[in-house]
Amino acid sequence: MTESKKVIIVGGVAGGASCAARLRRLDERAEITIYDRGPFVSFANCGLPYHVGGVIPNEASLLLASPQLFHDRFRIGVQVHHEVVAIHRETKTVTVKNLLSGEQFDDTYDSLVLSPGAAPLKPELPGLDLPGVFTVRSIPDTREIRGWIAKTKAKHAVVAGGGFIGLEMAENLRHLGLEVVLVQNGPQVMISMDAEMVSPLHTHLEKHGIQLRLNTPLSGVTQRDGKLVVNGDIETDLVILGLGVRPETGLAKAAGLTLGARGGIKVDSHMRTSDPTIFAIGDAVEVHDLITDFDILLALAGPANRQGRIAADVIAGRDSNFRGVQGTAICGVFDLAMAQTGATEKSLKRAGITDYEKVYLHPKHHVGYYPGAQTLHLKLIFAKPDGRILGMQAVGTVDVARKVDVVSALIQKNGTVYDLEEVELCYAPQFGAAKDALNYAGFIAANHLRGDLPLSQWNALPADAFLLDVRDPDEFTEGHADGAVNIPLPELRDRLDELPRDRVLHTYCGVGQRAYYAVRMLNQSGFDARDISGGWITAGMMA
Ligand SMILES: Cc1cc2nc3c(=O)[nH]c(=O)nc-3n(C[C@H](O)[C@H](O)[C@H](O)COP(=O)(O)OP(=O)(O)OC[C@H]3O[C@@H](n4cnc5c(N)ncnc54)[C@H](O)[C@@H]3O)c2cc1C
């Protein structure tokens, strides 16, 4: 009988816990030990903001598995309050420090898995260590925040940073009845998405009483009369830092493992580091972006869990490979959801990819005649000329995840806009439409690629563009593009002689549908007409 493998896992939350449990299922004889420096393993970090806000009232609900459960169910040894402080590759040992007793000891491994996660960014700015300034990563963090709010009877909070964690914290502090100011260094929150797709969120935050201060970098925190003061002028009771995260690579770096250009641990598709006996997974590693071909950092629970399974497979002797990532993510703020998969225009530009096109659409999430239909804002980006889907962003109150998830699955299979035309989705009036919004996204994009629907974009119009608005006069009166000529669609066939034949007619309506009819008719009548994608609603989002 061969000897059992000894596997040490550093970090026992998303990636580490997944890896340990999977490994046990594959190898009954492996000796598996998890060390975590925190007091808990396998807790729901993603639920932390909602526990602060009282939406998840019981802290215990965040604990998905205890050390006892790991022992009883899997015979996996879990040591909490134990920090791995050094890796000795030549002897295949780690030095572990018991944070309660201060005692240190060495432990040996055949395979070592690093899943240490990412630490919240805390820039070198004055006052970020003052009492009342918090980051959000662990259950003890939420205890401190809740305790501080109760102790100081806090009425006001500043959240610095409008990423996922900052936004979720801002919402949850509002749930507690606090006044919230959100400061963001640039012109938009949720910088992982394209600016125009985030504009409904800006309005939504204000609607829910969150004061949004864009282009306001955090410059520091001071104390005045028992209060905290942010940037010298915002008096508050507490400050939450949601400024992003950085991969925890200290151990790996000290052990001489190779890091990537973005500062994460470099791994191959087996999740192996530059040392074949050491694996690394989760927020600490660089991952391959399937669309841009770049190695990136991506702090998301799904990839961390999947990578944990793959490392376990490989340690158990299977040839599993991590495919790479598309950055599929969702964030909810009050009842608005923003989701994305694949590339954004920003990420394509960063990668120098220019042979793409985009379409906007603003459909109802289910048929309009059924009560409760809600508007979705969708942006589909696809490659030219083959129509491969590169990315989708969606914003709305209902069904946002479903739309993006379907596109995400298609992207993994190299799906095209022609596949999207044909995608077969559930339909009954309360759930969708016989021609689903995603089919429409495919129709519009495929029509464009087939040459049936020339497109133009609001942000790429020539300065002297001829703008044709085919909406009804009352819609035109409510608001229209400067210099636009209004000929409502029903009158268009009778008024063709009012239009120039020697100019491009950039045509728009509310969302793009009537403009499409107009463009079809105009182009068959000898004009050069184009549909401005997404119509007047998109113009509003880009304003
Ligand atoms: C507030 C919050 C909300 C989030 N919401 C979402 C969400 O909605 N959706 C989503 O996809 N992702 C979300 N994430 C991100 C997601 O939680 C992470 O991507 C995921 O947990 C990463 O898994 P990991 O195993 O790499 O690291 P983690 O889950 O962070 O686990 C790392 C563990 O390693 C331990 N550790 C580190 N160094 C050592 C050491 N030297 N010795 C011993 N132990 C060590 C740490 O104590 C920690 O417990 C959220 C994160 C936070 C903080």
Side-chain angles (χ1 to χ4, degrees):
M1 217 173 178
T2 53
E3 267 185 36
S4 62
K5 254 189 220 110
K6 198 153 180 258
V7 181
I8 289 179
I9 299 175
V10 183
V13 190
S18 263
C19 180
R22 169 84 176 157
L23 184 57
R24 171 58 73 233
R25 294 194 294 277
L26 299 178
D27 184 348
E28 190 48 35
R29 297 182 61 241
E31 192 184 319
I32 308 168
T33 306
I34 298 177
Y35 291 111
D36 200 298
R37 66 179 172 214
F40 305 103
V41 283
S42 202
F43 66 90
N45 356 32
C46 309
L48 297 176
Y50 303 93
H51 178 52
V52 171
V55 178
I56 300 172
N58 297 322
E59 184 184 281
S61 317
L62 299 172
L63 300 173
L64 308 176
S66 63
Q68 192 63 46
L69 183 140
F70 272 107
H71 173 268
D72 295 349
R73 207 173 269 180
F74 303 116
R75 292 295 184 276
I76 290 170
V78 174
Q79 302 286 340
V80 291
H81 297 295
H82 279 67
E83 181 169 10
V84 174
V85 291
I87 303 169
H88 313 288
R89 289 165 54 192
E90 55 302 338
T91 51
K92 289 180 128 191
T93 54
V94 290
T95 302
V96 185
K97 182 173 183 183
N98 179 334
L99 298 177
L100 299 180
S101 68
E103 171 213 1
Q104 288 204 171
F105 59 91
D106 283 354
D107 196 0
T108 58
Y109 63 82
D110 295 305
S111 296
L112 175 66
V113 180
L114 304 177
S115 190
L121 285 177
K122 216 168 170 187
E124 294 277 315
L125 293 172
L128 299 196
D129 287 322
L130 285 171
V133 181
F134 302 97
T135 54
V136 191
R137 183 183 182 186
S138 64
I139 289 180
D141 293 340
T142 60
R143 282 184 187 163
E144 283 186 30
I145 296 167
R146 285 164 63 95
W148 179 267
I149 291 171
K151 188 176 91 183
T152 62
K153 300 191 174 45
K155 297 203 165 26
H156 189 285
V158 171
V159 175
F164 291 81
I165 294 176
L167 288 166
E168 290 173 0
M169 284 303 298
E171 171 186 347
N172 278 287
L173 293 166
R174 284 298 291 151
H175 287 323
L176 293 178
L178 275 72
E179 296 293 314
V180 178
V181 176
L182 177 58
V183 297
Q184 168 75 5
N185 58 358
Q188 70 168 96
V189 296
M190 280 286 287
I191 58 166
S192 62
M193 291 178 75
D194 289 328
E196 73 281 11
M197 297 306 288
V198 175
S199 80
L201 172 61
H202 289 171
T203 317
H204 199 68
L205 288 169
E206 299 277 357
K207 181 180 136 196
H208 285 273
I210 292 175
Q211 227 189 88
L212 185 57
R213 296 206 189 173
L214 296 171
N215 301 306
T216 308
L218 178 68
S219 58
V221 183
T222 50
Q223 276 174 320
R224 190 168 61 209
D225 305 329
K227 293 272 186 189
L228 294 166
V229 183
V230 175
N231 288 4
D233 72 337
I234 316 171
E235 200 170 273
T236 192
D237 298 310
L238 74 150
V239 179
I240 302 287
L241 303 178
L243 300 168
V245 294
R246 60 165 178 78
E248 290 237 17
T249 53
L251 266 182
K253 203 172 164 187
L257 299 178
T258 306
L259 303 187
R262 305 294 313 279
I265 304 171
K266 209 156 179 56
V267 289
D268 63 14
S269 65
H270 287 139
M271 307 313 299
R272 241 189 255 274
T273 65
S274 52
D275 179 328
T277 62
I278 304 179
F279 295 76
I281 55 179
D283 291 358
V285 304
E286 289 190 5
V287 281
H288 188 66
D289 182 328
L290 290 172
I291 309 288
T292 61
D293 248 2
F294 277 30
D295 288 342
I296 59 165
L297 295 168
L298 187 71
L300 288 175
N305 277 277
R306 296 202 307 281
Q307 292 160 7
R309 289 171 58 86
I310 285 176
D313 280 6
V314 175
I315 292 168
R318 298 190 178 195
D319 182 24
S320 295
N321 291 277
F322 186 64
R323 290 181 187 180
V325 296
Q326 300 155 229
T328 307
I330 187 161
C331 180
V333 186
F334 303 102
D335 54 348
L336 193 72
M338 288 132 299
Q340 64 188 113
T341 185
T344 58
E345 273 193 280
K346 276 196 240 177
S347 67
L348 290 174
K349 279 185 186 139
R350 271 197 303 270
I353 298 171
T354 52
D355 49 350
Y356 69 87
E357 186 53 274
K358 59 184 173 180
V359 295
Y360 296 93
L361 57 163
H362 310 282
K364 298 292 179 201
H365 85 287
H366 61 48
V367 285
Y369 66 81
Y370 190 85
Q374 302 292 320
T375 300
L376 286 167
H377 305 290
L378 305 179
K379 176 177 182 178
L380 176 72
I381 305 178
F382 51 97
K384 282 192 303 190
D386 63 359
R388 186 167 73 96
I389 301 169
L390 300 178
M392 161 76 101
Q393 295 164 69
V395 181
T397 50
V398 206
D399 229 17
V400 170
R402 180 162 79 109
K403 301 298 181 226
V404 169
D405 281 345
V406 169
V407 174
S408 167
L410 272 177
I411 290 177
Q412 274 217 352
K413 292 291 174 195
N414 277 321
T416 65
V417 297
Y418 307 108
D419 295 316
L420 208 48
E421 285 187 294
E422 292 298 325
V423 79
E424 187 172 312
L425 301 170
C426 317
Y427 164 60
Q430 66 274 48
F431 298 111
K435 280 186 276 186
D436 191 272
L438 288 181
N439 295 127
Y440 272 108
F443 297 151
I444 298 168
N447 281 344
H448 172 67
L449 290 176
R450 290 187 190 107
D452 294 336
L453 177 59
L455 288 172
S456 52
Q457 305 289 348
W458 286 108
N459 60 355
L461 290 173
D464 63 344
F466 186 96
L467 293 169
L468 173 61
D469 184 324
V470 295
R471 296 175 301 160
D472 293 341
D474 54 338
E475 294 170 273
F476 186 78
T477 308
E478 265 182 38
H480 58 264
D482 287 347
V485 171
N486 181 220
I487 304 182
L489 180 65
E491 299 171 22
L492 195 55
R493 283 187 179 83
D494 303 324
R495 296 175 59 184
L496 293 181
D497 54 353
E498 296 175 34
L499 294 170
R501 289 188 177 271
D502 57 348
R503 298 188 65 184
V504 176
L505 309 180
H506 298 277
T507 309
Y508 72 92
C509 61
V511 295
Q513 194 169 14
R514 283 171 289 176
Y516 167 48
Y517 304 148
V519 165
R520 290 299 303 150
M521 190 258 282
L522 289 166
N523 287 349
Q524 290 177 68
S525 310
F527 291 91
D528 181 358
R530 299 180 195 167
D531 186 344
I532 310 181
S533 188
W536 190 234
I537 292 192
T538 302
M541 290 168 70
M542 284 184 179

